[in-house]
Amino acid sequence: MAEASGTKLIRADIVILASDHNPSIMSPQWLNKNDIIQEDSTNFINTPDFSLFESKTYSVIVDRKRFQVNIRSNERSRDELDSIAKIAKKYVMLLNQVPYTSMGLNFTWSMKAKEPGAIPMIDVKVGSNDGLQKSLETHELSYGCIINARKGPYLLKLTIAPPQDDITLVYNFNYHYELKDLDVGKICEYIDDYVNLFEHSKGVVEMVTY
């Protein structure tokens, strides 16, 4: 096990795909009027095909195929995680006629080791021998991995990127849900699990790291 100096949540977002979002309706006034986001905007773009709203805490992007809300602040507290889940739920409930197709509940974690070379080792073996390593023996190799893990309504895609240095690993958790033909109540039920999935992702990183 690696001796880590700390794990940190470096990104948290919710992405909801649909066959036809309507970016043009999203404005600071619309978000405020419908009690989706009450914070004042620090940056705002609104076009028929793309809208962006940024405030101190949140960022919301809507294009024809995607709604995405993420936390901009560095704290990424449980309250803020709960808030972006509520933002996503209110959007879905308000626009309940949109044909939603899929959703990703996403978390990115960074783990820093206390000293160089102390990050968890990732090794790859393909086949019954070391053919992959031998075929690339003149190259300097670094390994990452992609793990698919299905449970109930979601498919977790965990991506651990090849380390860019010898002290940091980055873990990307994508909890993917298919939403076709589901009613809004069921979609909101999935979104309600966002903070629980945060805890799950945190537990996985800590179990691997410590």
Side-chain angles (χ1 to χ4, degrees), residues 21-188:
H21 284 291
N22 182 6
S24 64
I25 68 170
M26 195 183 74
S27 67
Q29 296 78 16
W30 183 81
L31 292 168
N32 185 277
K33 175 184 175 182
N34 290 288
D35 196 31
I36 298 174
I37 298 178
Q38 295 297 321
E39 291 185 355
D40 293 333
S41 63
T42 58
N43 187 26
F44 173 62
I45 300 171
N46 182 241
T47 73
D49 295 314
F50 176 84
S51 288
L52 166 70
F53 172 92
E54 291 181 335
S55 67
K56 179 181 178 182
T57 310
Y58 310 107
S59 172
V60 179
I61 295 171
V62 182
D63 60 31
R64 289 292 182 183
K65 301 297 183 183
R66 170 186 55 151
F67 165 89
Q68 178 176 320
V69 55
N70 68 276
I71 299 171
R72 297 187 69 213
S73 74
N74 291 326
E75 184 179 355
R76 298 180 186 88
S77 65
R78 284 181 62 95
D79 285 345
E80 289 171 343
L81 293 168
D82 187 58
S83 291
I84 66 168
K86 289 178 178 176
I87 290 168
K89 278 182 61 177
K90 287 179 180 179
Y91 178 90
V92 167
M93 292 170 68
L94 190 65
L95 301 176
N96 54 31
Q97 300 304 313
V98 172
Y100 299 109
T101 57
S102 61
M103 176 173 67
L105 307 182
N106 307 311
F107 308 93
T108 301
W109 290 88
S110 173
M111 185 284 292
K112 287 190 178 295
K114 285 187 175 180
E115 57 187 33
I119 58 176
M121 185 181 71
I122 300 173
D123 200 0
V124 175
K125 185 174 182 180
V126 180
S128 58
N129 54 42
D130 296 328
L132 178 63
Q133 288 85 349
K134 289 177 180 178
S135 67
L136 297 171
E137 61 185 0
T138 61
H139 299 69
E140 182 178 337
L141 304 182
S142 61
Y143 297 104
C145 67
I146 298 175
I147 300 167
N148 287 337
R150 184 176 295 280
K151 182 179 180 181
Y154 69 73
L155 174 65
L156 167 62
K157 182 178 181 180
L158 169 58
T159 305
I160 306 174
Q164 299 301 306
D165 54 42
D166 57 0
I167 200 169
T168 307
L169 273 182
V170 175
Y171 302 78
N172 291 291
F173 291 79
N174 166 239
Y175 296 86
H176 175 85
Y177 294 78
E178 289 295 329
L179 303 182
K180 289 180 181 178
D181 301 322
L182 294 184
D183 60 42
V184 167
K186 178 58 71 173
I187 296 172
C188 290

